């Protein structure tokens, strides 16, 4: 198993087994190795293996049957919009493509902004961009993102197509998310979102409004996201 600092062993085991299922190493109906075999393969304890298998069960990747073992199911694929890995990190082997509907642009904050703004936010203004994300050529996620326009030189010239915003911020600006708030609703798509996601106006979508605070004082990340979860569940690791 690849060792990753600060990630609990059971989470790494979940990630490796999930990747094996996503990549077809284990197919629907296959039995995963027994708990004993997993303990030997990953040099860990039974309690850690069982914790990982419970995580895979909760994600819909396996069904555990007494006397048989862990059987691979056929889950909808997970979207990582709840986590800091974002969609790019959560899709795995699937084909992710992006339409940049609005390139990063420096502007004033909208008057009816969806989160309260600090005096610092208002003073610096924001960088706004909008993306439509596709998985296997199907539109799944529309996102509008606002960054406090503070200490982000040349950000508007960077490519955001098929790239993680969090990775870009970390790589070029050493910005990391420290804490945040997420508000989530289930709402009808409506005319505009329905057109973007190619669904009926009455089709339910997940609407998330998010504020993330970073290790750079005064730099915040705000997002408004609409997600069609008909074929994909929302996914996160804790």
């Amino acid at each position: 198993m690849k060792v990753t600092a600060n990630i609990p062993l059971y989470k790494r085991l979940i990630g490796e087994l999930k990747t094996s299922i996503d990549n077809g190493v284990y197919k629907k109906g296959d039995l995963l190795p027994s708990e004993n075999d997993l303990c030997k393969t990953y040099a860990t304890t039974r309690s850690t293996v069982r914790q990982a298998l419970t995580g895979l069960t909760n994600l819909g990747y396996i069904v555990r049957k007494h006397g048989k073992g862990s059987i691979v199911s056929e889950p909808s694929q997970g979207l990582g919009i709840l986590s800091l890995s974002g969609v790019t990190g959560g899709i795995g082997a699937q084909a992710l493509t992006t339409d940049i509907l609005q390139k990063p642009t420096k502007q004033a904050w909208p008057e009816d902004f969806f989160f309260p703004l600090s005096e610092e936010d208002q003073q610096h203004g924001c960088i706004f961009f909008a993306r439509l994300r596709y998985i296997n050529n199907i539109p799944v996620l529309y996102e509008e993102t606002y960054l406090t326009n503070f200490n982000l030189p040349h950000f508007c010239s960077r490519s955001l197509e098929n790239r993680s915003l969090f990775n870009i911020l970390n790589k070029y600006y050493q910005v990391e998310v420290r804490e945040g708030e997420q508000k989530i609703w289930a709402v009808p798509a409506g005319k505009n979102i329905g057109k973007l996601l190619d669904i009926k106006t009455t089709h339910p979508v997940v609407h998330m409004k998010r504020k993330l605070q970073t290790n750079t004082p005064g730099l915040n990340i705000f997002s408004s996201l609409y997600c069609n979860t008909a074929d994909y569940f929302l996914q996160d690791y804790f």
Side-chain angles (χ1 to χ4, degrees):
M1 178 184 295
K2 181 180 179 181
V3 176
T4 305
N6 302 323
I7 299 179
L9 183 58
Y10 82 92
K11 291 187 178 181
R12 299 203 299 268
L13 181 51
I14 288 174
E16 293 204 9
L17 290 173
K18 175 183 173 296
T19 297
S20 294
I21 294 171
D22 285 340
N23 292 340
V25 176
Y26 301 113
K27 297 179 175 60
K28 180 183 178 182
D30 287 350
L31 277 171
L32 289 185
S34 68
E35 291 183 3
N36 285 337
D37 288 340
L38 289 172
C39 287
K40 293 176 182 177
T41 300
Y42 294 99
T44 188
T45 63
R46 186 180 292 270
S47 62
T48 297
V49 167
R50 286 180 175 173
Q51 196 173 6
L53 294 176
T54 297
L56 286 172
T57 301
N58 293 339
L59 289 172
Y61 274 81
I62 62 171
V63 176
R64 303 179 71 186
K65 293 189 177 181
H66 182 71
K68 289 187 177 181
S70 301
I71 302 172
V72 176
S73 60
E74 191 175 36
S76 297
Q77 298 299 309
L79 295 173
I81 66 173
L82 298 176
S83 71
L84 298 188
S85 65
V87 177
T88 308
I91 294 304
Q94 301 175 76
L96 174 67
T97 55
T98 305
D99 275 351
I100 307 297
L101 303 186
Q102 171 62 61
K103 294 181 179 180
T105 305
K106 296 178 182 180
Q107 62 179 50
W109 296 94
E111 292 185 3
D112 55 347
F113 196 63
F114 53 83
F115 258 101
L117 296 168
S118 68
E119 290 185 6
E120 281 186 301
D121 286 323
Q122 293 175 345
Q123 177 183 350
H124 292 298
C126 69
I127 298 173
F128 169 75
F129 64 89
R131 299 190 290 185
L132 182 61
R133 318 299 294 274
Y134 297 78
I135 301 175
N136 297 324
N137 299 316
I138 298 174
V140 172
L141 177 69
Y142 171 66
E143 57 181 10
E144 296 180 344
T145 301
Y146 300 80
L147 308 173
T148 309
N149 183 21
F150 177 71
N151 201 25
L152 294 174
H154 311 298
F155 182 88
C156 291
S157 65
R158 302 200 182 277
S159 172
L160 294 168
E161 188 172 351
N162 303 335
R163 300 184 66 191
S164 165
L165 170 63
F166 302 125
N167 288 345
I168 291 173
L169 290 174
N170 183 258
K171 179 178 179 180
Y172 296 105
Y173 306 101
Q174 293 72 56
V175 171
E176 296 179 354
V177 173
R178 290 294 174 84
E179 59 183 275
E181 178 183 359
Q182 299 183 135
K183 303 175 182 179
I184 304 174
W185 298 264
V187 298
K191 183 178 180 180
N192 292 335
I193 301 302
K195 183 177 181 180
L196 287 167
L197 297 179
D198 194 23
I199 54 179
K200 294 181 178 179
T201 58
T202 56
H203 187 100
V205 295
V206 171
H207 183 201
M208 176 192 296
K209 296 179 180 179
R210 176 164 65 183
K211 176 184 178 181
L212 301 175
Q213 295 173 293
T214 73
N215 60 335
T216 301
L219 175 55
N220 297 308
I221 305 168
F222 301 88
S223 298
S224 176
L225 307 100
Y226 292 87
C227 181
N228 178 9
T229 59
D231 295 315
Y232 301 88
F233 57 78
L234 303 184
Q235 176 179 339
D236 194 10
Y237 293 102
F238 297 91

